[in-house]
Amino acid sequence: MEIMQTENRVIVSGCGPVGAVTALALVKKGIPVTLIEQLPDAAEDQRAATIHTPTVEMLADLGLEKEMFSDAPSGGMAAPLFHFRDRATGELVAVFDINLLKGEVPYPYVVQWEQYKLVHAALPHIRASGLGEVRFSSKLIGLSQTEDHVEATVGNEAGETEKLRARYLIGTDGGSSTVRRLAEIAFEGFTWPERFIKIGTSFDFGATGQGLCTRNYFFDPDEWLNLFKVKGYGPPGIWRGVLPVPESESDEEALSMENIQRRLQRIYQKSGDYEIPYYALYAVHQRVAQTFNKGRILLAGDCAHVNNPIGGMGMNGGIHDAVNLTEKLADVWFGRADANVLDRYTRQRRTAQIDYVQAQTIENKRKLEERDPAVRRKHLDDLRRTSEDVTLHKKFLYRSSLIDSLTSANAVE
Ligand SMILES: Cc1cc2nc3c(=O)[nH]c(=O)nc-3n(C[C@H](O)[C@H](O)[C@H](O)COP(=O)(O)OP(=O)(O)OC[C@H]3O[C@@H](n4cnc5c(N)ncnc54)[C@H](O)[C@@H]3O)c2cc1C
């Protein structure tokens, strides 16, 4: 069957950071896109903020450099340093400096740029391309495919439905993906018994004399902590703490203002309450889809894999999927490659996930929460030794920045 003009497009379902980057990468390659999102507008999602070195390069290549490095609150903050600390003693165990990779990578730092700011930066470029249509209040509720097209059923808030056809559909609709479910793709892995709480405060932990940098990881058997700074809505910025919530604590208890204040007072005891612009509780999973391509249906981002946020790898890995997938899809689209190349997308990106992102984030969590004092001491000593030896330090940076994951995955045939 010949594909009609309006069907000569790719549908991207879900306008989070991965959907927005996927749509942008496609229109840049000359492929028409319809990006659908169930919400009435792009969500102000306060989850991811750390953009690793290779991802910064990818976003710059997509034309987002100006927005990413803008001095305005909508832009990001370059941050080359990260610290590991022992929470009980306050000991600064190790300082890592991505600047050591200067000359080896174009952007030797992470950029702290909240994920919703990235989405807001990408959307005008998608629209301005003349090839990208963005539809909000459009929820994917049905999906089928034939040999030469996909058909998506999309519903709006009024309960009306519409059928959209396309040559391919990419699911970027997050961890509880409808696309993955309708395509009957298994999501293998497990869910941690504890949940993670994220608390944002405008209180400046950087001015408490503890010598904190922009990204700080604290070891603690009872309550490990990730404490990071973002620009937020402008000066003085927002510090975000991410901490574990034990299985025994109910959601209601964890989200009570008393407990939220108590958690912050344990980070730094101060008089009066903390001002708290936002907080949220998350269930945490480690799962990878059995395949990232099934016929004309493709998966990317959290739709394809989820992991705990320690190390900031979820969205980064999803953006790496988007860049890998759109290159291959463009080759198929313009007749430069056979559709089998999409199997290679799955092989490459599942390798990146399983061998690196899943393995690393599980190891990061286990180390931060280690209960045995002798084992914890060993982790701390190893980290210090690693940071003090230039060769080991750089090796650590290559792995933690996901550069190794990209190199290994891209070498998979
Ligand atoms: C506390 C915390 C901190 C984190 N920090 C980092 C970090 O620093 N760095 C990092 O790399 N990762 C981090 N992550 C992970 C990161 O937030 C996710 O990996 C990222 O949001 C995934 O992006 P996505 O676009 O794939 O999915 P999502 O951001 O979940 O977006 C999916 C979109 O699809 C839409 N949607 C869902 N269903 C439908 C449907 N049926 N039809 C249409 N639209 C639909 C949703 O409304 C949503 O807008 C963190 C996570 C947490 C919990």
Side-chain angles (χ1 to χ4, degrees):
M1 187 182 84
E2 200 177 324
I3 295 171
M4 284 158 39
Q5 198 52 37
T6 53
E7 297 168 7
N8 193 32
R9 62 179 161 195
V10 174
I11 296 172
V12 177
S13 182
C15 182
V18 178
V21 169
T22 301
L24 177 57
L26 287 171
V27 296
K28 285 242 159 201
K29 290 176 196 310
I31 300 175
V33 173
T34 295
L35 172 59
I36 59 171
E37 165 59 47
Q38 64 181 356
L39 301 174
D41 202 347
E44 191 181 299
D45 191 324
Q46 300 284 5
R47 283 183 290 162
T50 301
I51 314 235
H52 287 295
T53 304
T55 319
V56 176
E57 189 178 349
M58 290 172 187
L59 296 180
D61 287 348
L62 285 170
L64 297 176
E65 198 168 20
K66 195 172 114 236
E67 291 86 347
M68 189 167 35
F69 292 108
S70 162
D71 289 334
S74 59
M77 282 180 350
L81 297 180
F82 55 107
H83 289 174
F84 287 93
R85 291 168 180 266
D86 186 12
R87 196 167 172 198
T89 61
E91 174 194 349
L92 173 58
V93 175
V95 175
F96 284 88
D97 184 358
I98 309 174
N99 248 321
L100 270 183
L101 302 185
K102 206 170 181 173
E104 298 176 33
V105 298
Y107 302 94
Y109 40 75
V110 302
V111 176
Q112 289 292 99
W113 197 28
E114 295 101 314
Q115 65 181 71
Y116 71 93
K117 295 180 182 173
L118 158 57
V119 175
H120 285 294
L123 287 177
H125 289 271
I126 296 168
R127 292 192 176 108
S129 70
L131 288 173
E133 178 196 17
V134 185
R135 292 193 188 193
F136 288 105
S137 299
S138 300
K139 180 176 181 167
L140 182 121
I141 51 176
L143 184 58
S144 62
Q145 61 172 322
T146 66
E147 222 166 81
D148 57 15
H149 69 267
V150 286
E151 188 170 270
T153 308
V154 175
N156 66 17
E157 283 156 346
E160 296 153 346
T161 61
E162 184 187 357
K163 288 197 189 297
L164 303 178
R165 277 196 183 180
R167 280 171 63 182
Y168 290 92
L169 182 138
I170 304 178
T172 53
D173 54 348
S176 346
S177 170
T178 305
V179 172
R180 193 186 61 237
R181 179 172 54 77
L182 293 174
E184 296 181 348
I185 298 173
F187 205 31
E188 295 153 346
F190 65 91
T191 299
W192 295 100
E194 68 270 50
R195 290 134 299 149
F196 289 7
I197 191 165
K198 174 206 63 203
I199 309 171
T201 176
S202 49
F203 176 76
D204 187 4
F205 285 109
T208 56
Q210 299 171 82
L212 297 177
C213 69
T214 311
R215 295 196 297 143
N216 309 273
Y217 296 94
F218 291 80
F219 287 77
D220 193 293
D222 297 318
E223 198 181 52
W224 52 262
L225 164 70
N226 293 178
L227 191 59
F228 290 13
K229 190 172 182 190
V230 291
K231 268 193 188 171
Y233 309 106
I238 289 178
W239 283 83
R240 294 169 160 191
V242 174
L243 312 99
V245 172
E247 211 181 345
S248 55
E249 195 171 326
S250 70
D251 288 7
E252 204 184 3
E253 282 168 331
L255 293 171
S256 73
M257 197 37 72
E258 198 186 332
N259 271 329
I260 287 172
Q261 291 290 342
R262 183 184 51 78
R263 283 196 153 93
L264 292 184
Q265 290 287 351
R266 277 219 298 264
I267 297 174
Y268 179 75
Q269 199 163 9
K270 73 173 196 77
S271 60
D273 278 352
Y274 278 87
E275 194 186 287
I276 295 168
Y278 54 73
Y279 57 94
L281 192 62
Y282 302 97
V284 189
H285 318 272
Q286 305 281 162
R287 293 181 190 275
V288 181
Q290 202 175 28
T291 182
F292 293 7
N293 70 310
K294 191 167 179 180
R296 292 178 174 271
I297 298 170
L298 303 146
L299 312 184
D302 275 20
C303 168
H305 43 75
V306 284
N307 54 270
N308 81 63
I310 306 168
M313 297 185 167
M315 176 186 67
N316 280 271
I319 293 172
H320 300 180
D321 294 344
V323 168
N324 186 313
L325 172 59
T326 53
E327 269 167 22
K328 292 181 171 59
L329 195 55
D331 285 344
V332 176
W333 191 273
F334 293 111
R336 298 188 292 260
D338 192 77
N340 289 341
V341 75
L342 300 172
D343 296 337
R344 189 159 172 240
Y345 163 64
T346 287
R347 288 195 297 277
Q348 293 187 331
R349 294 309 305 159
R350 266 180 59 90
T351 297
Q353 268 304 313
I354 294 165
D355 295 355
Y356 288 87
V357 175
Q358 297 295 324
Q360 188 67 56
T361 54
I362 291 171
E363 185 185 318
N364 288 347
K365 178 175 179 299
R366 296 229 189 274
K367 284 188 171 168
L368 284 189
E369 70 191 8
E370 178 57 54
R371 295 210 78 80
D372 182 328
V375 180
R376 187 166 81 253
R377 190 65 252 166
K378 184 179 176 321
H379 290 330
L380 300 180
D381 291 343
D382 285 351
L383 264 178
R384 190 177 37 250
R385 264 196 300 277
T386 301
S387 69
E388 287 169 356
D389 177 301
V390 175
T391 309
L392 294 177
H393 191 131
K394 282 189 174 184
K395 207 170 158 212
F396 187 88
L397 295 176
Y398 269 87
R399 189 171 171 89
S400 56
S401 298
L402 291 174
I403 300 171
D404 283 350
S405 91
L406 278 164
T407 311
S408 305
N410 292 346
V412 172
E413 278 307 319

